[in-house]
Amino acid sequence: MVSFDTNILFYAADRRDPAKYAIALDLLERAAVAGSSVVIAGQVLCELYASLTRKRILPPGEALDLVRDYEQTFERLPVATDAFRRAFGVVAAHGLQIWDAVLWANADAYGCKYLVSEDFQGGRRLGGVTFLNPFTADGRLLLDAALPPMD
């Protein structure tokens, strides 16, 4: 399974960086085709709404519509029972920020193989999760295997 961090969904709505916008949009279109092999944490949807409205990328109604579209397209993961306990452990041991650590713990608990984000060290593996940065050549190669490009 593949899961996305908030920044990927954000870039797919934010046209201010055309390169990141195009990559993020392409990935999410590929993910929609992949269907059940892609999941989104509820935390990510909340963060997305907050970021889009706080930075005035979208008005609140449009941001909510986008969040609901993602909810309909991808399976939404609830917070795993031990996610916070595990997150605090990796904050101390690996120096992750707390909300990134919660996102990782949740992805790991649900068996995600990849977590797509620009916030983690690309290619790093923690537990059963490998972090992929789609804005690097190495990250794109691995993502092409997980989410094949559309013709």
Side-chain angles (χ1 to χ4, degrees):
M1 277 192 297
V2 176
S3 191
F4 290 96
D5 193 357
T6 307
N7 52 53
I8 306 305
L9 279 66
F10 180 87
Y11 285 128
D14 181 10
R15 295 174 185 258
R16 293 177 299 173
D17 185 328
K20 287 184 178 181
Y21 170 78
I23 291 168
L25 194 60
D26 175 63
L27 276 177
L28 290 168
E29 288 171 353
R30 289 160 47 184
V33 171
S36 64
S37 65
V38 178
V39 294
I40 302 286
Q43 167 192 340
V44 166
L45 297 175
C46 292
E47 290 175 1
L48 177 64
Y49 177 85
S51 294
L52 290 172
T53 56
R54 184 181 65 250
K55 294 180 181 181
R56 298 177 189 206
I57 303 302
L58 293 176
E62 288 180 33
L64 183 57
D65 288 344
L66 183 60
V67 165
R68 287 180 175 150
D69 286 346
Y70 285 131
E71 249 185 331
Q72 295 298 313
T73 304
F74 304 112
E75 179 183 354
R76 182 174 42 87
L77 296 180
V79 177
T81 304
D82 66 344
F84 291 109
R85 179 187 54 78
R86 293 182 69 210
F88 285 118
V90 299
V91 165
H94 298 281
L96 296 182
Q97 297 297 314
I98 186 60
W99 292 114
D100 290 338
V102 170
L103 186 60
W104 162 80
N106 214 43
D108 194 49
Y110 284 102
C112 291
K113 186 173 181 178
Y114 300 112
L115 179 55
V116 183
S117 176
E118 72 171 350
D119 289 345
F120 299 96
Q121 180 184 1
R124 179 180 182 187
R125 186 174 174 89
L126 186 58
V129 178
T130 300
F131 304 114
L132 299 180
N133 183 342
F135 307 117
T136 66
D138 290 342
R140 282 193 299 276
L141 281 175
L142 289 170
L143 275 165
D144 285 349
L147 298 170
M150 298 182 337
D151 293 330

